[in-house]
Amino acid sequence: MTEPRSDGGRREQQGKSATDSQKSEEYRGSYASQPQSPKQCEATNTKRMAERKLEVCVDTVLSAVEAVKGGADRLELCTALSEGGLTPTTGLLLTVKKHISRPIEVFCMVRPRGGPMVYSEEEREIILHDAQTLIKAGADGLVFGALTSCNTIDINLCKVFREKAGDIPCTFHRAFDLLQDPVSQLETIIELGYQRILTSGRRATALEGCTTLTQLVKGARGRIKIMAGAGVKSSNVANIISQTGVAECHASARVTRVFGCEAQNDARMGAGSDNILLVTCPQEVKAIKQAMAAV
């Protein structure tokens, strides 16, 4: 039989409960978020903005100059953006670096042709040769990605490419969005030594791919940068960042420029008009940067 507790026992228990409650309040208070001073707020915002980067993809000297004028943090240099971007010439790289108004990183696409990201042995030779040539010409980073015919990462080629790049940082481009299960392949790209993944979250635009982008940011855990690209504009970039937590975004920010030299016959150099050029708009680049800063 349990003996009834004495008044002294009850008082002791009540005193203990009060002490435990006080300790609990002190514990919670010690971890409660305290209001930041103006200097702390400024430091937090400065750190946040230092981590946020806008990369602008360009395929002409004019676009490169305009992107830098608008405040781009980094350039992805290529040719034929109409094809999704192909390997730039060393002449384009050298001229861009000469004429931009301030020194910023210029990452070069390495992609020998349009179409599938599956490459033959001969094309592999081109890829590795172009990578070395661009590095020697002053590329600050390289952008690459290769797949197998089964839409998995071509581990062998991507590994050799990364080794050939040496100390040059590498971005795995949107070949990533063609993978069957990109989230599960995140670890592979980290192990291969790539510093960044450009992705739309497997959707037509980054805004539509926010769910997958969020999963990638969480899975990366700061070990690799997830850069949102495809359809990024000043009107949606804040929404993309707030939904996913990405620190870097990729945009072309282009507008159409029409020249007054339309041919008077049916002759054309390609499938499109020879009188139209898509060029980076510095005002849109600036607007994207401002929207990123406001999040």
Side-chain angles (χ1 to χ4, degrees), residues 59-95:
D59 59 359
T60 65
V61 176
L62 177 58
S63 281
V65 170
E66 298 286 65
V68 173
K69 185 189 301 182
D73 298 299
R74 181 173 58 244
L75 299 179
E76 180 197 81
L77 184 64
C78 56
T79 58
L81 275 175
S82 57
E83 294 288 334
L86 301 179
T87 307
T89 64
T90 54
L92 178 57
L93 171 60
L94 292 169
T95 307

Side-chain angles (χ1 to χ4, degrees), residues 73-171:
D73 298 299
R74 181 173 58 244
L75 299 179
E76 180 197 81
L77 184 64
C78 56
T79 58
L81 275 175
S82 57
E83 294 288 334
L86 301 179
T87 307
T89 64
T90 54
L92 178 57
L93 171 60
L94 292 169
T95 307
V96 162
K97 287 216 159 194
K98 176 182 177 181
H99 288 284
I100 54 178
S101 58
R102 57 185 169 83
I104 66 170
E105 290 182 322
V106 179
F107 278 40
C108 292
M109 172 72 77
V110 180
R111 187 177 171 222
R113 56 159 173 77
M117 311 291 180
V118 182
Y119 299 110
S120 66
E121 287 300 321
E122 294 79 7
E123 288 170 331
R124 291 171 185 235
E125 291 181 22
I126 298 171
I127 287 166
L128 297 177
H129 177 79
D130 284 345
Q132 290 296 304
T133 302
L134 289 166
I135 290 171
K136 289 178 182 178
D140 299 298
L142 299 176
V143 182
F144 181 69
L147 306 178
T148 69
S149 56
C150 298
N151 274 1
T152 58
I153 296 170
D154 186 335
I155 293 177
N156 180 57
L157 178 54
C158 290
K159 180 179 181 182
V160 172
F161 183 91
R162 187 66 197 88
E163 290 171 348
K164 293 291 185 181
D167 295 332
I168 295 293
C170 291
T171 298

Side-chain angles (χ1 to χ4, degrees), residues 9-25:
R10 283 196 295 270
R11 285 194 298 272
E12 181 182 350
Q13 182 65 28
Q14 290 170 353
K16 183 179 179 182
S17 297
T19 302
D20 289 345
S21 177
Q22 183 179 1
K23 288 181 178 180
S24 177
E25 289 298 329

Side-chain angles (χ1 to χ4, degrees), residues 270-284:
S273 171
D274 298 327
N275 197 39
I276 292 176
L277 186 64
L278 294 175
V279 181
T280 301
C281 173
Q283 290 80 16
E284 173 64 2

Side-chain angles (χ1 to χ4, degrees), residues 47-55 73-74 196-197 213 217 222 224-228 237 240-250 289 292-293 295:
K47 181 180 179 181
R48 182 185 64 194
M49 282 311 302
E51 294 172 348
R52 288 190 182 155
K53 303 288 185 184
L54 173 62
E55 177 180 276
D73 298 299
R74 181 173 58 244
R196 181 179 292 101
I197 297 173
L213 285 168
V217 170
I224 190 170
K225 292 180 174 65
I226 304 300
M227 179 166 60
V237 69
I240 292 169
I241 292 173
S242 61
Q243 284 194 52
T244 65
V246 295
E248 298 192 359
C249 289
H250 172 100
K289 287 279 292 180
M292 292 176 72
V295 181

